[in-house]
Amino acid sequence: MNIPSRVRLIDVGPRDGLQNEKQPVPAATKIELVHRLQAAGLREIEVTSYVSPKWVPQMADNHEVMGGIARQAGVAYSVLTPNLKGFEAAVLDQPDEIVVFGSASEAFSQKNINCSIAESIERFAPVVEAALAAGIRVRGAMSCTVGCPYEGDIAPERVAYLAGLLKGIGVQRVDVADTIGVGTPRKVQKALQATLQHFGIDAVSGHFHDTYGQALSNTLAALELGVWNFQSSVAGLGGCPYAKGATGNVATEDVVYMLQGMGIETGIDLDKLIDAGAYISDYLGRRSGSRVAVAVLTKRNN
Ligand code: HMG
Ligand code: MG
């Protein structure tokens, strides 16, 4: 066991968290959420995506949101770009990192980005090239690395195949996503190990949705392999519009509480993070998806 002493969290709440919300969330609320996350100590925030507004209407205010953030030194702001059109729109807002997003499953690739895995790589290649030429970092998200809503179980070999393709076009680091939260610790470790055939440990992050309540266990399983980068969503917001029934990412508050309890450094102030989660949960009129936040808020009110 080589459990890391430090973990870096990317909060994907403003993007993965909010993209699935039916009611439009005003840009000002998204901006305030980002401000609260950075005030809580988050050093990486996935802010928005430059995708078709017909496909994901909630992200149509990408320019307004990116333009409205009072950027803090030392914080990296990332955005999703599925193709050159998205990249050309994103670059105007000067993101620190762009994310191309592919899938280990053919069926999910078709549903999510309307093309095959091979076609997606052809689309991503010029995006990666343009980003690197502009001095923008490049991350690759890999969906359905454990299971797919359309194809069922996904073999680790298919994860390794996708990771190899992304590495081949110059992607610098990758997210191993359990999009529909069906993974369990050993399966998630296999997906991570398949990815580690192509990327070093510092370039691999865990992105676990919590649909089946396994995300914290899966995070611990990833830590056991030495993985120290994770994506999580404040208040456990979210889900993917093209993965029906999938709930949000593991709640950032729950991950931070677990890591603090294990003596692992995150640089995050849990109380301020809980306030950020309460802010967006109150706006949405919903109880937080974070067990830790609910427990702490209940205690505060007593
Ligand atoms: P398409 O229909 O195949 O694209 O969609 P197209 O090139 O044929 O263009 C069709 C129309 O879309 C045209 O407009 C284009 O201009 C426009 P029209 O002439 O009809 O008015 N268009 C765009 N508009 C804005 N921004 C763009 C863009 N590209 C084309 N970038 C496309 C292909 C990829 C655009 C579409 O499928 C799409 O937008 N998909 C988005 C899917 C998405 O955002 N999913 C959620 C994020 S992924 C996720 O959540 C998983 C993750 O969290 C990891 C995990 O958990 O698994 C990352
Ligand atoms: Mg996701």
Side-chain angles (χ1 to χ4, degrees), residues 154-162 194 197:
I154 298 295
E157 292 71 27
R158 295 169 67 189
V159 180
Y161 173 69
L162 177 63
Q197 291 173 24

Side-chain angles (χ1 to χ4, degrees), residues 178-256:
D178 181 9
T179 312
I180 53 170
V182 290
T184 43
R186 297 290 170 249
K187 286 186 185 173
V188 164
Q189 284 182 337
K190 285 190 179 135
L192 289 164
Q193 278 159 337
T195 308
L196 288 165
Q197 291 173 24
H198 299 283
F199 288 89
I201 195 78
D202 297 342
V204 172
S205 51
H207 176 116
F208 307 134
H209 285 261
D210 201 28
T211 317
Y212 285 76
Q214 305 296 304
L216 267 188
S217 315
N218 293 338
T219 302
L220 185 57
L223 286 167
E224 280 178 16
L225 295 184
V227 172
W228 62 282
N229 287 278
F230 293 94
Q231 278 124 37
S232 57
S233 177
V234 66
L237 296 172
C240 176
Y242 300 101
K244 281 212 168 32
T247 62
N249 294 79
V250 66
T252 310
E253 297 93 319
D254 295 1
V255 178
V256 169

Side-chain angles (χ1 to χ4, degrees), residues 257-289:
Y257 178 84
M258 179 179 86
L259 296 173
Q260 284 185 350
M262 294 173 73
I264 297 172
E265 194 190 311
T266 62
I268 293 169
D269 180 323
L270 183 57
D271 275 314
K272 283 190 185 163
L273 179 65
I274 288 171
D275 292 340
Y279 167 77
I280 193 65
S281 301
D282 286 350
Y283 175 81
L284 296 170
R286 195 179 302 155
R287 185 180 156 107
S288 172

Side-chain angles (χ1 to χ4, degrees), residues 73-133:
V75 177
Y77 306 88
S78 55
V79 302
L80 266 56
T81 57
N83 52 20
L84 264 182
K85 187 178 171 81
F87 175 75
E88 280 157 10
V91 80
L92 302 173
D93 298 325
Q94 299 182 301
D96 296 292
E97 183 177 54
I98 55 114
V99 184
V100 291
F101 48 106
S103 170
S105 130
E106 280 294 347
F108 189 78
S109 182
Q110 289 290 350
K111 295 275 184 194
N112 195 38
I113 51 174
N114 206 23
C115 62
S116 68
I117 296 171
E119 285 163 343
S120 75
I121 297 297
E122 275 170 37
R123 284 185 194 178
F124 299 156
V127 174
V128 175
E129 197 184 331
L132 294 176

